Amino acid sequence: MKENRLIGTVQWRGYKYKDGKVSIHKVFGIVQTIDKKDYFFHGNNFIFLKKALEEFDIMTFEGVQKGEKLEAVKCRIYHKIGNNMCFEWFLENLKDEPDIIQENLLEKVLDYIIEQNTKTKTEILNTSFYSYQKKKTVNYKKVVEKKYIEIDEISYIIIKQISRNNNISNICKEIFLMKIYKRADQKCKHKMLFEEKLIEIQTKTQAEQYEILKLYLQQFDTFHETEYNIIKMIIQTVKIDENVKLNFINLVFERFNSNIKYRILFEDCLIKINNITAEQQLELLKK
């Protein structure tokens, strides 16, 4: 049964030789679970084995007690994600794994994407402090390094394949996609949300919709015409709750210049000022 399956990593493996050659089906070794339990395995216990095992390959299996020994049976091996053949097999076999195992395996895919795409962005921040020795404010530049993920084309294909794969439970897909979305660069976020709609915002709660939009906003470096057109598109879509739209436009309103603020209120009417309280109207006009 799916619910009885465990997940672990290959700690060591050995092979029996046949006619002086290694046979991948004559493998044996130890797989260790997250809670540090060791299970013995051998080649006859695998559902399918096409490629030689490596240490730290991921294995899913059912654990059985045989005398004093724990043994792994009905084993499946998930080789390194970077291999295309292995990834296709990976997606095909997820259907036979329970949600908790699917989520754990997708976490390994996430780790692979992060490792392949993480870049260090150096930012120079202009700041200042009051120097008691010099009795004046001193300006200086502080170098800050931030890690971000600029998703490449191959990684995005992997993300898209996972989002559209019927072998993976919807819950596990949503968890995986949101983890990617939170770490991805602006271009990837836009693609996932508005172009290919890998994240279906209309199915989310108000709180989830607001969080998604807030994350989308975080990487805007400027707030000019291009950014305004994106904000306008978001506000005009029917897929987002009206209360979420109001909270979101309030969040970005003060970051635009006075000309765009005027358009928001009186030309494009993105905020329907007659539908909000006098107190809210006053607060907006102060911005």
Side-chain angles (χ1 to χ4, degrees), residues 90-91 94-95 99 102-103 106 161-174 176:
F90 172 94
L91 290 178
L94 278 181
K95 67 177 183 293
D99 282 9
Q102 287 190 6
E103 187 179 342
L106 289 174
Q161 282 180 315
I162 288 171
S163 75
R164 293 176 178 170
N165 192 287
N166 294 328
N167 294 332
I168 305 171
S169 80
N170 289 332
I171 292 172
C172 293
K173 279 195 274 194
E174 286 179 15
F176 171 78

Side-chain angles (χ1 to χ4, degrees), residues 5 17 30 45 66 77 168 171 247 255:
R5 291 188 68 74
Y17 285 79
I30 295 292
N45 291 0
K66 289 197 174 179
I77 200 73
I168 305 171
I171 292 172
N247 290 333
R255 300 176 74 170

Side-chain angles (χ1 to χ4, degrees), residues 140-154:
Y140 70 103
K141 289 183 176 182
K142 182 180 179 182
V143 177
V144 178
E145 289 189 343
K146 291 186 176 180
K147 285 189 174 179
Y148 69 105
I149 304 176
E150 192 174 283
I151 304 294
D152 62 24
E153 189 176 344
I154 293 172

